[in-house]
């Protein structure tokens, strides 16, 4: 039988369409599926505490570099983190590169430039954009934080233009 995947928060195909990745919010894991002609076949599940993964609690969004060699995942409910992975395009399997945690941080949405060199993170109902320069290694070090304190509302979504020149964010407000 199929494993119980629990509460699925987010699903994303790889850029090449060969694999499908599902964040298992309720199980603190990432499921990797082969994407066949007419079905998905479970290939692997990475759980928090396995394969060098730590702080992968309640994973949320998954984003890929345009070439599909890197994957990024946000996670957490308070005291959250973001993770970078190397992705094998042939097998679809992920290998941990790095993670970055912040106290009282709950990443909601993430976006990556087409090159995979920059990762942007917003948190649930926050007004800050965290920018990581991941460079050639995929390491998540010393993010810069852009505060939108005067912004009326909370950031809800974020995306990078296909050419990597622009960052877009949408918001929620009671006004």
């Amino acid at each position: 039988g199929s494993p119980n995947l629990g509460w699925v928060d987010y699903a994303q195909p790889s850029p090449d369409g060969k694999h499908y990745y599902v964040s298992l919010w309720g199980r603190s894991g990432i499921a990797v599926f082969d994407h066949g002609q007419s079905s998905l076949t479970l290939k692997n599940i990475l759980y928090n505490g396995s394969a060098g993964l730590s702080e992968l609690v309640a994973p949320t969004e998954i984003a890929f570099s345009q070439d599909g060699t890197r994957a990024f995942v946000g996670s957490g409910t308070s005291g959250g983190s973001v993770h970078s992975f190397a992705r094998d395009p042939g097998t679809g399997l992920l290998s941990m590169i790095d993670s970055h945690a912040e106290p009282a941080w709950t990443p909601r949405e993430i976006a990556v430039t087409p090159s995979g060199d920059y990762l942007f993170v917003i948190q649930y109902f926050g007004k800050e954009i965290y920018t990581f320069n991941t460079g050639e290694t995929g390491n998540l070090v010393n993010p810069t934080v852009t505060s939108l304190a005067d912004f009326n509302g909370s950031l809800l979504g974020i995306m990078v233009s296909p050419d990597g020149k622009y960052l877009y964010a949408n918001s929620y407000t009671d006004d």
Side-chain angles (χ1 to χ4, degrees), residues 40-139:
L40 295 173
T41 304
L42 182 62
K43 182 162 198 138
N44 189 31
I45 300 178
L46 297 171
Y47 288 108
N48 187 47
S50 68
L53 292 175
S54 63
E55 301 173 352
L56 183 70
V57 177
T60 55
E61 188 168 7
I62 302 167
F64 294 94
S65 59
Q66 190 173 27
D67 67 3
T69 59
R70 286 201 223 149
F72 301 91
V73 178
S75 71
T77 54
S78 65
S81 55
V82 345
H83 309 270
S84 65
F85 296 89
R87 176 181 169 265
D88 182 318
T91 65
L93 297 179
L94 301 176
S95 303
M96 181 73 163
I97 295 174
D98 198 13
S99 66
H100 178 88
E102 292 276 337
W105 194 45
T106 307
R108 174 179 173 82
E109 297 282 334
I110 61 175
V112 63
T113 57
S115 65
D117 289 341
Y118 291 92
L119 175 70
F120 304 97
V121 181
I122 61 172
Q123 64 176 331
Y124 278 95
F125 304 109
K127 294 185 180 200
E128 296 87 27
I129 299 172
Y130 291 74
T131 304
F132 294 88
N133 180 345
T134 62
E136 293 181 17
T137 64
N139 288 329

Side-chain angles (χ1 to χ4, degrees), residues 18-42:
K18 293 180 182 178
H19 304 96
Y20 213 78
Y21 299 80
V22 177
S23 62
L24 308 177
W25 195 91
R27 301 263 188 232
S28 292
I30 303 167
V32 180
F33 292 86
D34 280 331
H35 189 244
Q37 289 286 93
S38 60
S39 66
L40 295 173
T41 304
L42 182 62

Side-chain angles (χ1 to χ4, degrees), residues 4 9 136 141:
N4 179 349
D9 188 61
E136 293 181 17
V141 293

